[in-house]
């Protein structure tokens, strides 16, 4: 017997899935005899979904009819039931039908919910109603997950390739398995008061790193940001701090009574007349002190206030500045020559006008 030599296979090829590979679809040839037992699932839906389910029910029956699944809508009880038939050959089709009716009951539109019947699709419904104690805080964190005008939810859908529907106390997600895992983590972190923008930033970095074939088999921890939760709110301290006294097993000493005080001073043994006289003297002393205080307060209004001494202002000429006498004399001379008409060095000869000569000739 000759044995064929088997060529060694690289270990990296065993763990990686080739690009573009898809699992073959499950056909009737794989299970020609069908199922032995009938399986069924039922779910309830709220009253406000009744009108929508009535409109799209023919489309629901048509979509489930391709997999030979029977669906019934009970408007009296408010429930949807799906069950297998004799023609059903795919055993997992009824599980997909169960998820399909669950999504319809959680306000997911038919156009998105019907995608669950595909092979590479899955769904996840996260209950968030019991994760936060107070209702106001729950509403704020749920709105934080949606974001302004749904921007945060849209960014999460683009990064995870999932459809996300936030309705009431649940979050429904529909998409591939890897995306559903990330969506669930973001939703739970948001309910734990961790802003979704941190997880979105991490997903964006992972998306860029996955495009590089060299980094696929390496650890990404050094590239991912490490966000730490900081509690910035400080506890308010009281204005008056009380310090605890040291513990002693003995009780505190009792305060002295009035009789004890009188015994210590000797007043207890005095007569009643002497006690009354002493009390009257004390009262008179107190009255005299009060009278003097009152008289002092009245006399304060008649005491003139102290006047401040008037200080005369003296304008002293600055001694430091020196006067230039020669410059002043030169200015005075120049002013006299201009104003008083002093004779100039080269006098100009004066000429008599023509009309003056005529007057002289006539005279």
């Amino acid at each position: 017997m000759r044995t064929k030599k088997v060529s060694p296979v690289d270990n990296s090829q065993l763990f990686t899935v080739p690009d573009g590979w898809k699992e073959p679809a499950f056909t009737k040839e794989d299970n020609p005899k069908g199922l032995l037992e009938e399986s069924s699932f039922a779910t309830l839906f709220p009253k406000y979904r009744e009108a929508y389910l009535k409109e799209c029910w023919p489309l629901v029956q048509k979509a489930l009819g391709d997999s030979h699944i029977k669906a019934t809508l009970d408007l009296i009880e408010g429930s949807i039931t799906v069950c297998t038939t004799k023609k059903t050959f795919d055993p997992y089709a009824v599980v997909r039908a169960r998820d399909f009716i669950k999504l319809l009951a959680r306000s997911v539109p038919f156009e998105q919910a019907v995608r669950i019947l595909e092979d590479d699709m899955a769904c996840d419904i996260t209950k968030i109603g019991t994760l936060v104690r107070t209702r106001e805080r729950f509403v704020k964190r749920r709105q934080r997950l949606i974001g302004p005008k749904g921007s945060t939810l849209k960014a999460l859908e683009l990064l995870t390739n999932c459809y996300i529907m936030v309705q009431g106390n649940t979050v429904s997600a529909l998409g591939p398995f890897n995306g559903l895992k990330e969506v669930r983590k973001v939703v739970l972190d948001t309910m734990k008061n961790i802003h979704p923008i941190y997880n979105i930033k991490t997903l964006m970095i992972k998306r860029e790193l996955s495009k590089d074939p060299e980094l696929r088999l390496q650890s990404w921890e050094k590239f991912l940001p490490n966000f730490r939760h900081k509690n910035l709110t400080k506890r308010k301290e009281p204005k008056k701090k009380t310090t605890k006294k040291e513990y002693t097993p003995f009780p505190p000493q009792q305060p002295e009574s009035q009789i004890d005080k009188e015994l210590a001073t000797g007043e207890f043994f005095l007569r009643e007349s002497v006690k009354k006289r002493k009390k009257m003297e004390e009262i008179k002393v107190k009255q005299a002190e009060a009278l003097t205080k009152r008289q002092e307060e009245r006399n304060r209004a008649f005491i003139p206030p102290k006047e401040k001494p008037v200080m005369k202002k003296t304008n002293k000429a600055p001694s430091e500045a020196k006067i230039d006498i020669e410059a002043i004399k030169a200015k005075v001379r120049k002013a006299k020559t201009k104003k008083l008409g002093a004779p100039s060095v080269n006098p100009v000869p004066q000429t008599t006008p023509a009309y003056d000569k005529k007057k002289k000739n006539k005279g």
Side-chain angles (χ1 to χ4, degrees):
M1 292 290 290
R2 291 183 180 181
T3 57
K4 294 181 180 179
K5 290 183 180 180
V6 180
S7 58
V9 181
D10 190 5
N11 291 331
S12 62
Q13 293 180 1
L14 297 175
F15 297 104
T16 56
V17 179
D19 295 334
W21 181 86
K22 284 186 179 181
E23 189 178 354
F26 193 86
T27 58
K28 195 173 183 179
E29 295 176 357
D30 298 325
N31 187 16
K33 293 182 180 180
L35 306 176
L36 296 174
E37 294 290 336
E38 181 183 327
S39 301
S40 63
F41 294 99
T43 186
L44 300 173
F45 61 86
K47 187 73 175 175
Y48 62 85
R49 290 292 289 173
E50 186 177 328
Y52 181 79
L53 290 171
K54 272 184 184 179
E55 291 178 6
C56 68
W57 190 248
L59 299 173
V60 173
Q61 286 181 327
K62 186 180 178 182
L64 294 175
D66 297 339
S67 303
H68 304 287
I69 300 292
K70 184 184 176 182
T72 54
L73 177 66
D74 192 349
L75 298 175
I76 297 168
E77 293 183 359
S79 64
I80 308 172
T81 309
V82 289
C83 60
T84 57
T85 59
K86 292 180 180 179
K87 294 182 180 180
T88 307
F89 59 89
D90 188 359
Y92 198 71
V94 70
V95 179
R96 290 203 193 95
R98 178 202 63 184
D99 295 338
F100 179 43
I101 61 175
K102 275 187 180 180
L103 293 172
L104 288 173
R106 296 311 311 157
S107 300
V108 178
F110 171 79
E111 292 78 10
Q112 296 291 339
V114 77
R115 292 167 54 201
I116 195 64
L117 301 176
E118 298 175 8
D119 289 338
D120 56 346
M121 283 290 167
C123 73
D124 184 20
I125 297 173
T126 309
K127 294 180 181 179
I128 58 174
T130 57
L131 297 177
V132 185
R133 290 182 180 179
T134 57
R135 182 68 183 174
E136 293 177 0
R137 196 175 293 173
F138 167 72
V139 172
K140 284 182 181 179
R141 292 181 186 178
R142 185 180 63 182
Q143 186 60 35
R144 192 184 297 167
L145 179 63
I146 297 168
K149 297 181 181 179
S151 58
T152 307
L153 207 63
K154 189 68 179 174
L156 202 60
E157 286 179 353
L158 292 172
L159 289 169
T160 57
N161 296 324
C162 295
Y163 173 80
I164 306 167
M165 181 72 184
V166 181
Q167 178 69 22
N169 296 332
T170 58
V171 178
S172 306
L174 174 70
F177 292 99
N178 294 332
L180 293 175
K181 188 179 176 182
E182 297 293 343
V183 170
R184 191 175 187 84
K185 182 180 178 298
V186 173
V187 170
L188 294 176
D189 285 349
T190 306
M191 290 295 118
K192 291 176 184 176
N193 201 19
I194 299 171
H195 204 280
I197 195 66
Y198 300 130
N199 288 312
I200 288 171
K201 190 173 182 180
T202 305
L203 289 172
M204 289 172 70
I205 295 168
K206 283 182 179 179
R207 190 177 185 181
E208 294 298 322
L209 291 171
S210 63
K211 293 178 182 178
D212 193 352
E214 295 179 359
L215 297 172
R216 281 186 181 179
L217 301 174
Q218 296 181 12
S219 179
W220 293 350
E221 289 182 0
K222 57 182 178 181
F223 301 108
L224 300 177
N226 186 16
F227 299 106
R228 293 180 181 178
H229 184 70
K230 294 181 181 179
N231 190 8
L232 299 176
T233 56
K234 293 182 179 179
R235 183 178 174 271
K236 291 182 180 179
E237 295 181 356
K239 291 182 180 179
K240 294 181 180 178
K241 293 183 178 180
T242 56
T243 55
K244 290 184 178 181
K245 296 178 181 179
E246 292 182 2
Y247 173 74
T248 54
F250 306 104
Q253 191 175 3
Q254 290 184 354
E256 291 184 353
S257 63
Q258 189 67 24
I259 297 170
D260 294 337
K261 290 177 182 177
E262 289 178 358
L263 286 169
T265 55
E267 293 178 6
F268 184 77
F269 304 103
L270 296 174
R271 294 178 184 177
E272 290 293 329
S273 58
V274 179
K275 287 181 181 179
K276 285 181 181 178
R277 196 186 308 149
K278 198 171 183 181
K279 280 185 181 178
M280 289 299 293
E281 287 175 0
E282 289 176 358
I283 290 167
K284 284 179 181 178
V285 171
K286 287 181 180 178
Q287 285 177 351
E289 288 177 358
L291 189 65
T292 52
K293 282 183 181 179
R294 239 180 271 143
Q295 197 66 31
E296 286 176 2
E297 288 177 359
R298 286 174 186 171
N299 294 335
R300 277 178 195 171
F302 300 101
I303 297 170
K306 292 182 180 180
E307 295 181 358
K308 294 180 180 179
V310 180
M311 300 293 290
K312 293 182 179 180
K313 294 181 180 180
T314 56
N315 295 328
K316 295 181 179 179
S319 60
E320 295 179 0
K322 293 181 180 179
I323 301 168
D324 194 355
I325 298 169
E326 296 297 330
I328 293 169
K329 286 181 179 180
K331 283 183 182 179
V332 171
R333 284 181 202 146
K334 198 172 182 180
K336 282 181 179 179
T337 54
K338 287 181 180 179
K339 292 180 181 178
L340 301 176
S344 59
V345 180
N346 297 322
V348 180
Q350 293 182 357
T351 56
T352 57
Y355 62 89
D356 289 340
K357 289 180 181 181
K358 288 179 182 180
K359 286 181 180 179
K360 288 178 181 180
N361 291 332
K362 287 180 181 179

